[in-house]
Amino acid sequence: MRPVAPENLPDLIALKGDEAAFGLMLHGTRTPERAREELDDDMEFWLVRGYGTWAVFLRETGEFLGITGLMERPDGRGVALRYALWPACRGKGFAREAARAALAFGFRRGLARIIAVAWEGNVASRQVLADIGMAECDAFQHRGRHMLVFEALAPAG
């Protein structure tokens, strides 16, 4: 995992524009222009906060697999874990490994609580969140979908 950078833009445009990869994200797929804006925002967020979005790569080959990260939610719910990987990565543990690493990084940076939001129907994402120790704590409706909020609290000590 490496913080997103300008050289990741072609991969980010492809990932964020792909319905199978990004369609289940809260605001759905992105246009190339929006993906470019988000990259700029993500790089700025790293400078200001010291955490943000990482590009995830296969260690052995350097192949781009997707993204994971920690971002401040605009709805005031707090800092949220997010991840989106190519569909070919599903079932191989990559999302779980990346999400677990992002969560641990956030706690090392001093965050006391990290949340994640998943559509109720996205069973795979909900399973990843449960597997990394996040617990369901709230719910809300978004564009006709029942969204579940998960949380993890920083370990004591």
Side-chain angles (χ1 to χ4, degrees), residues 3-142:
V4 290
E7 61 267 19
N8 304 125
L9 184 59
D11 287 326
L12 294 171
I13 287 173
L15 179 76
K16 291 182 175 193
D18 186 277
E19 183 64 34
F22 228 72
L24 292 178
M25 296 298 281
L26 190 59
H27 298 291
T29 58
R30 312 302 204 260
T31 64
E33 296 77 22
R34 184 67 191 134
R36 192 172 295 111
E37 291 168 1
E38 287 181 351
L39 174 59
D40 291 341
D41 291 346
D42 289 342
M43 290 186 306
E44 177 69 20
F45 199 85
W46 268 105
L47 292 173
V48 171
R49 297 290 185 97
Y51 56 86
T53 299
W54 290 271
V56 178
F57 300 93
L58 186 60
R59 188 175 294 125
E60 295 79 12
T61 65
E63 174 189 358
F64 176 81
L65 301 180
I67 60 170
T68 191
L70 300 167
M71 296 300 296
E72 185 73 35
R73 285 191 50 89
D75 60 12
R77 284 186 167 85
V79 175
L81 169 68
R82 65 181 189 150
Y83 48 89
L85 282 76
W86 287 113
C89 296
R90 293 182 184 148
K92 298 178 181 176
F94 296 131
R96 189 171 288 102
E97 182 180 348
R100 184 177 284 121
L103 193 65
F105 183 89
F107 291 141
R108 285 193 310 272
R109 297 294 296 172
L111 296 173
R113 177 179 181 259
I114 298 172
I115 67 159
V117 175
W119 171 47
E120 184 177 45
N122 188 347
V123 176
S125 189
R126 291 173 43 208
Q127 186 63 52
V128 167
L129 297 173
D131 287 352
I132 65 170
M134 298 188 85
E136 190 177 329
C137 67
D138 199 4
F140 63 97
Q141 292 295 121
H142 179 74

